[in-house]
Amino acid sequence: MTIWVRQLEFYSVSVSFIGSSLMGSSMEYSSGDDTDKSDSEIEYEEKICEELRNGDHQYKVSDNAYTCPFCPNKKKRDFLYKELLQHAAGVGKCNSKKRTRKDKTNHLALAKYLENDVAADAGPSQQATIVNPLADHDRDEMFVWPWIGIVVNIPTVFKDGRSVGESGSKLRDQLARRGFNPTRVRPLWNYQGHSGTALVEFQKDWFGFNNAMSFEKAYEADQHGKRSWQAKTDFKSELYGWVARADDYNSDTILGENLRKIGDLRTISDIMEEETRKTQKLVGNLTNVIEAKKMHLLEMENKFKETENSLSQLMTEKDKLLQEYNDEIKKIQSSAQDHFQKIFNDHEKLKLQLETQKRELELRGHELAKRETHNENERRKLAEELEENAVKNCSLQAATNEQRKADEKVMKLAEEQKRQKENLHKKIIQLEKQLDAKQAVELEIEQLRGKLNVMRHMEDEDEGDLEVLEKVDSLLKSLREKEGELEDVLALNQTLVVQERNSNDELQDARKELVNGLKELSTNGQIGVKRMGELNSKPFQEAMKRKYNEVEADERATELCSLWEEYLRDPEWHPIKVVEIDGRHQAVIDEDDEKLKDLKNNYGDEVHDAVTSALTEINEYNPSGRYIISELWNYTEGRKATLQEGVVHMMNLWRTYKRKRGMD
């Protein structure tokens, strides 16, 4: 009988649910979803509802304005009661992976709280909208069925000979976040590619119709409806949307072709009449079933009463026989119990004695086993400690030897660099002296050549003067000696130049080895290795966090950073210009470059400064190859570190490491 009663209750509830769905009930967010929830999620949902009742979450802005307390601050906006309920139910039911389970549960709890606790406080106009979504619409107006919205002016780009635009799923997620809850978005394509238009499909019920009309009104409120689109104005860059009607369905455009493929033209009255006929038919069938079940229930109740009377008589007889049997058993048990009690007492005494002796033997056995185990553990620990000490001693000895060798090597390198620097300084001084001597010799040679020319001229005028001839010979001899000295100076100068070049090569090799060594050490000190031309990704992440949520921000920042790294390596992109500053030509960033201007306008000064800083370093250190190079850097003073500073820093690191190993 209980089973039939539950079935009747189920049919009654089904009839009530069908009737309420015709009136545009807003409880769709909860139907069919509770069966998929775990107990923990149901408890969490109740907890959020209780917090909303206690005022822990702010959802009301004014008497007629509401806000969602579970959406990020950058996405918060004011809702009407109906819009907030629609938004909460849509997010709670959406299948997007970008919404976490916790976020969906929060929105479901908000929708439940709004429906059960806040509906009475909503304004009369909002309650009327919630109860009947068809109140403001002409029921003879022709719509495309199922309900379909139209979005035009979708941005497209020309790529590989075709127009390419955003995917339908991305546009669907955008509309879902605005609370319109579309089921699908179909971008329309033609032979040229993406047409810049799309069809937005909604649910086939009145809740879907309400979402479609909210979609249309939202675009009309922003002056982006159908009338604004058809108006002859200047260039339009944003999206325009409306609900498909008869003129769209019958048009010869790509919109009309696709609408005729997937839908039909029907009035609201036709749809309501069809649903009414279906509902009446279903209600009639259910009524017949209920009547048949009621008749069957009456038959079952009569049979139940007859069976209940016969069972009552049998139970009375059974109780009487059972009472007589129990009295007889009690007498037998009473006599047997006395006999067994005596035997049991004797056995208990013996059992206690045996258990006491057994317990004493077990305690002694446990103590002996513990002592044996303790001794074995102590021997094992002692052996392990001896082995560990031996391994540590070997490791410490090896580390000490390696450290001593490294200290000696670094000291030798420092002394050698110091000695080479001193020798190079001496050679430079000597080279300067030789250069002065060379210039003096060249001057004397020129003077001698002048005197010689004068003497030769005098010789031509006075050929018989013996004294003049002797002066000429003396000058020629001095000239040859000075030319020999000049050749010696030039040879010495060439030798010093070669030695200086070799010393510079050795210094560069030592600098490279020092850079490679510091790369392997993770230090945060004054001296380190800096990758010149490397793009700092932190400003990109901060810029993306201001536009997207945390999950999307990391992906967007990585993509944008990778794109600008490719721009920096592109030799065809060179936003550097040479200008004259204080009489000197210098290379500076071209602020009029289109890419840099777009980057600054779209993502801010921090991202722009990060790109220009990397570009400046590449132009300074590697303008031809345009790839990242490592440089020894003084982070405190913000300049290129000297070799001496790098060696001193390395020595300090070794001393610190040596002290730590000594303390260990």
Side-chain angles (χ1 to χ4, degrees):
M1 183 180 69
T2 304
I3 296 174
W4 293 112
V5 171
R6 290 180 178 175
Q7 289 182 350
L8 288 172
E9 291 176 352
F10 169 76
Y11 287 123
S12 300
V13 172
S14 300
V15 173
S16 300
F17 174 76
I18 292 169
S20 63
S21 64
L22 293 174
M23 298 300 294
S25 173
S26 61
M27 289 297 292
E28 292 188 10
Y29 71 91
S30 62
S31 62
D33 290 340
D34 291 338
T35 56
D36 296 334
K37 296 180 182 177
S38 62
D39 294 339
S40 60
E41 290 179 342
I42 294 174
E43 292 178 359
Y44 180 75
E45 183 177 328
E46 292 296 331
K47 177 184 175 184
I48 296 300
C49 289
E50 187 63 27
E51 291 178 355
L52 288 167
R53 295 188 188 98
N54 296 334
D56 296 338
H57 301 284
Q58 185 66 30
Y59 67 91
K60 195 169 184 179
V61 179
S62 63
D63 292 338
N64 295 322
Y66 299 84
T67 185
C68 181
F70 302 113
C71 287
N73 292 331
K74 62 182 180 181
K75 293 185 179 179
K76 280 192 175 180
R77 64 184 184 90
D78 293 343
F79 295 92
L80 295 176
Y81 173 82
K82 177 202 68 173
E83 293 174 345
L84 180 58
L85 179 61
Q86 184 179 5
H87 164 75
V91 174
K93 291 176 58 180
C94 72
N95 296 323
S96 176
K97 295 182 179 179
K98 296 180 181 179
R99 291 284 187 177
T100 62
R101 195 78 174 179
K102 180 180 179 182
D103 193 15
K104 294 178 183 178
T105 305
N106 288 338
H107 282 80
L108 284 176
L110 176 61
K112 184 177 179 180
Y113 172 71
L114 292 173
E115 183 68 22
N116 296 335
D117 299 339
V118 185
D121 298 333
S125 60
Q126 297 188 37
Q127 289 184 358
T129 304
I130 296 169
V131 173
N132 188 3
L134 308 177
D136 298 332
H137 300 284
D138 183 6
R139 301 194 179 187
D140 294 328
E141 185 178 5
M142 301 291 287
F143 287 90
V144 177
W145 170 261
W147 317 116
I148 295 177
I150 296 175
V151 177
V152 298
N153 206 33
I154 299 174
T156 60
V157 295
F158 194 74
K159 185 176 181 182
D160 298 332
R162 298 190 69 192
S163 295
V164 180
E166 291 184 350
S167 65
S169 60
K170 185 175 181 180
L171 182 56
R172 182 197 63 195
D173 293 341
Q174 292 177 0
L175 295 175
R177 285 195 292 271
R178 295 182 64 181
F180 302 135
N181 302 320
T183 59
R184 183 182 180 185
V185 175
R186 295 172 177 251
L188 301 184
W189 297 74
N190 53 23
Y191 67 95
Q192 294 179 345
H194 200 294
S195 64
T197 59
L199 299 181
V200 182
E201 298 180 5
F202 296 93
Q203 296 177 3
K204 296 182 179 180
D205 52 14
W206 296 115
F207 190 74
F209 177 76
N210 193 17
N211 287 330
M213 300 314 297
S214 298
F215 160 80
E216 183 177 69
K217 289 179 181 178
Y219 277 95
E220 287 180 353
D222 295 337
Q223 301 298 323
H224 288 80
K226 187 174 183 179
R227 294 181 181 177
S228 301
W229 172 250
Q230 292 177 346
K232 295 181 178 180
T233 57
D234 296 334
F235 175 73
K236 302 172 182 178
S237 60
E238 299 183 2
L239 298 180
Y240 289 74
W242 62 87
V243 176
R245 290 180 174 81
D247 54 345
D248 302 307
Y249 185 85
N250 296 322
S251 66
D252 295 332
T253 63
I254 189 174
L255 288 172
E257 294 176 3
N258 285 272
L259 287 173
R260 287 190 290 272
K261 290 179 181 179
I262 64 176
D264 298 320
L265 279 179
R266 300 181 69 179
T267 64
I268 295 176
S269 299
D270 293 339
I271 298 172
M272 292 180 65
E273 289 176 1
E274 183 179 351
E275 289 192 357
T276 302
R277 287 194 302 270
K278 292 180 180 179
T279 305
Q280 288 175 352
K281 184 177 179 181
L282 179 59
V283 171
N285 294 334
L286 291 176
T287 303
N288 294 333
V289 172
I290 291 172
E291 291 297 330
K293 296 299 181 182
K294 285 183 178 179
M295 295 298 295
H296 187 65
L297 180 61
L298 291 175
E299 294 178 1
M300 295 296 294
E301 287 180 352
N302 293 330
K303 291 181 179 180
F304 175 74
K305 289 178 180 179
E306 294 176 359
T307 307
E308 186 178 13
N309 293 329
S310 60
L311 285 175
S312 297
Q313 295 177 0
L314 291 174
M315 290 298 294
T316 302
E317 295 177 359
K318 178 185 175 183
D319 291 338
K320 184 177 179 181
L321 294 173
L322 183 61
Q323 184 64 34
E324 294 176 355
Y325 173 77
N326 289 336
D327 293 338
E328 187 67 26
I329 291 297
K330 285 181 180 179
K331 293 178 181 179
I332 298 172
Q333 287 179 348
S334 179
S335 60
Q337 186 175 4
D338 295 337
H339 178 69
F340 283 119
Q341 185 66 38
K342 183 179 179 181
I343 297 173
F344 178 76
N345 293 334
D346 295 338
H347 281 285
E348 283 295 323
K349 291 180 181 179
L350 294 174
K351 184 178 179 181
L352 289 174
Q353 294 177 359
L354 291 174
E355 286 182 353
T356 303
Q357 295 177 0
K358 181 180 178 182
R359 202 177 298 113
E360 292 177 354
L361 293 174
E362 288 178 351
L363 290 174
R364 292 185 62 186
H366 286 313
E367 290 178 359
L368 292 174
K370 287 181 180 179
R371 291 178 182 177
E372 184 178 0
T373 303
H374 180 71
N375 293 334
E376 184 65 26
N377 291 335
E378 291 295 330
R379 284 195 297 270
R380 190 181 301 109
K381 288 181 181 178
L382 181 61
E384 290 177 354
E385 289 178 358
L386 291 174
E387 291 178 359
E388 290 178 357
N389 290 333
V391 172
K392 287 182 179 179
N393 290 332
C394 293
S395 301
L396 289 173
Q397 185 64 32
T400 303
N401 294 334
E402 291 295 330
Q403 182 180 352
R404 179 175 53 76
K405 292 178 181 179
D407 290 343
E408 293 175 356
K409 185 176 180 181
V410 172
M411 291 298 296
K412 288 180 180 179
L413 178 62
E415 293 175 358
E416 181 67 19
Q417 296 298 329
K418 183 178 180 181
R419 183 180 60 77
Q420 289 181 359
K421 187 175 180 181
E422 293 175 354
N423 293 337
L424 181 61
H425 185 67
K426 292 178 181 179
K427 289 178 181 179
I428 291 173
I429 296 174
Q430 185 178 1
L431 184 61
E432 291 176 352
K433 292 180 179 179
Q434 293 294 336
L435 182 61
D436 294 338
K438 172 187 172 183
Q439 293 176 351
V441 170
E442 289 178 348
L443 180 62
E444 290 180 4
I445 290 173
E446 291 297 326
Q447 291 176 353
L448 289 173
R449 285 178 179 172
K451 290 180 180 180
L452 182 60
N453 291 331
V454 172
M455 291 299 178
R456 285 177 179 174
H457 182 69
M458 293 175 64
E459 182 182 358
D460 293 336
E461 294 180 356
D462 191 5
E463 295 180 355
D465 194 345
L466 181 62
E467 184 178 356
V468 170
L469 293 175
E470 289 178 354
K471 288 182 178 181
V472 169
D473 292 337
S474 175
L475 289 173
L476 288 173
K477 184 177 180 181
S478 299
L479 181 61
R480 293 189 188 95
E481 290 177 356
K482 295 299 180 181
E483 288 179 348
E485 292 178 1
L486 179 60
E487 291 178 356
D488 294 338
V489 170
L490 291 175
L492 178 60
N493 186 23
Q494 185 65 28
T495 302
L496 291 175
V497 168
V498 172
Q499 290 180 355
E500 181 183 5
R501 185 177 301 165
N502 293 333
S503 298
N504 287 333
D505 292 340
E506 291 178 358
L507 289 174
Q508 291 298 326
D509 293 338
R511 190 179 186 90
K512 289 180 180 178
E513 290 297 327
L514 188 60
V515 168
N516 293 332
L518 288 175
K519 277 183 182 179
E520 301 175 358
L521 300 175
S522 59
T523 61
N524 297 322
Q526 176 184 358
I527 307 300
V529 177
K530 183 178 181 182
R531 290 167 58 84
M532 311 305 293
E534 185 176 29
L535 191 59
N536 186 9
S537 61
K538 186 175 180 181
F540 291 86
Q541 293 177 349
E542 295 297 330
M544 289 303 171
K545 287 180 179 179
R546 293 192 293 269
K547 293 187 175 184
Y548 304 96
N549 56 34
E550 187 174 356
V551 177
E552 284 186 280
D554 293 337
E555 297 178 359
R556 299 271 184 171
T558 303
E559 293 175 359
L560 186 62
C561 189
S562 300
L563 176 63
W564 277 96
E565 285 179 349
E566 293 179 2
Y567 287 159
L568 291 175
R569 308 295 174 262
D570 186 7
E572 297 182 359
W573 183 58
H574 191 74
I576 303 293
K577 62 180 180 180
V578 179
V579 297
E580 185 175 351
I581 301 176
D582 298 333
R584 298 177 58 188
H585 290 84
Q586 297 182 8
V588 298
I589 301 296
D590 186 5
E591 297 295 339
D592 295 330
D593 184 78
E594 293 297 330
K595 289 183 179 179
L596 293 177
K597 289 171 66 178
D598 292 341
L599 179 67
K600 187 174 183 179
N601 294 333
N602 294 330
Y603 302 104
D605 294 336
E606 292 80 2
V607 177
H608 175 268
D609 295 342
V611 173
T612 55
S613 177
L615 189 61
T616 303
E617 292 176 355
I618 289 177
N619 189 65
E620 180 180 356
Y621 287 89
N622 190 16
S624 59
R626 304 197 79 169
Y627 55 83
I628 297 174
I629 62 173
S630 299
E631 183 59 75
L632 193 64
W633 194 258
N634 188 326
Y635 286 98
T636 302
E637 301 181 6
R639 60 171 175 81
K640 184 177 177 181
T642 63
L643 183 63
Q644 182 179 1
E645 291 174 341
V647 173
V648 171
H649 180 67
M650 183 67 78
M651 290 290 296
N652 292 333
L653 291 177
W654 275 110
R655 292 191 184 99
T656 303
Y657 176 76
K658 186 175 180 180
R659 286 197 300 270
K660 289 183 178 179
R661 293 304 298 264
M663 293 174 65
D664 294 340

